[in-house]
Amino acid sequence: MQFKNAVDFIFDKLVNELPGHLSYHTIHHVRDVYQAAEMIGEAEGITEHDTQLLLTAAAYHDAGFIEAAKGHEEVSCRIARETLPAFDYNAADIETICGLIMTTRIPQSPKNHLEEILADADLDYLGRDDFWITGDKLYHELLTAGAVNNEDDWNRIQVKFMESHHYFTQTAIKLRAAKKEQHLNEVKAKLNA
């Protein structure tokens, strides 16, 4: 597998082809998820081969936004299937990567340890200090798309989402769960103000 070349290829494509109106689903989000996946994967002690599959999926997981927001996971899988053979990824590894990409769909339902890691990496920010900054980017993206009308709408969606969300890996639970709960209480307080 030409892992580094495959990742460089998709990062380059995302930089050049993601729509300019996206404020959350940008190359910065993809790099953030990649770094979170790398950190969680290392802490969870996965193999080098699994790490490369995980990080390839992290790099490709939102590539579908190049074409469409709705159903972007399926488009991301198609892009992975079309491009990864050129980087010497075999069919079994590409299917694993597509399974990983699909697990980032909300609500998340990972079926194995690698999928749990990517699911946690994709929502790592919920339990981090940059929660408000990152969430604000998603709010503005949804506002632009007409998916929310105002900040109260957004905060109600956040509360419902965060109440139903949980981290899967021991690493994410240990590092992020407590702060995520704190953020949830802060969002509730904003709604009740």
Side-chain angles (χ1 to χ4, degrees), residues 24 29 33 36-37 40 54 57-58 61 99-126 161 165-169 172 176:
Y24 175 80
H29 165 70
V33 172
I40 297 167
L54 172 71
H61 85 282
L100 285 159
I101 290 168
M102 294 310 292
T103 212
T104 64
R105 189 170 32 191
I106 306 296
Q108 299 173 321
S109 52
K111 295 171 194 65
N112 59 50
H113 191 217
L114 274 189
E115 290 182 6
E116 289 175 347
I117 294 170
L118 189 58
D120 285 352
D122 194 29
L123 296 172
D124 189 58
Y125 85 93
L126 293 175
F161 176 71
H165 169 268
H166 64 91
Y167 287 114
F168 299 96
T169 63
R176 305 292 186 230

Side-chain angles (χ1 to χ4, degrees), residues 6 9 31 71 84 92 131 134 136 146 167 171 175 190:
F9 166 81
R31 285 194 171 117
L84 291 175
F131 167 79
T134 305
D136 200 48
Y167 287 114
T171 302
L175 295 177
K190 282 180 90 168

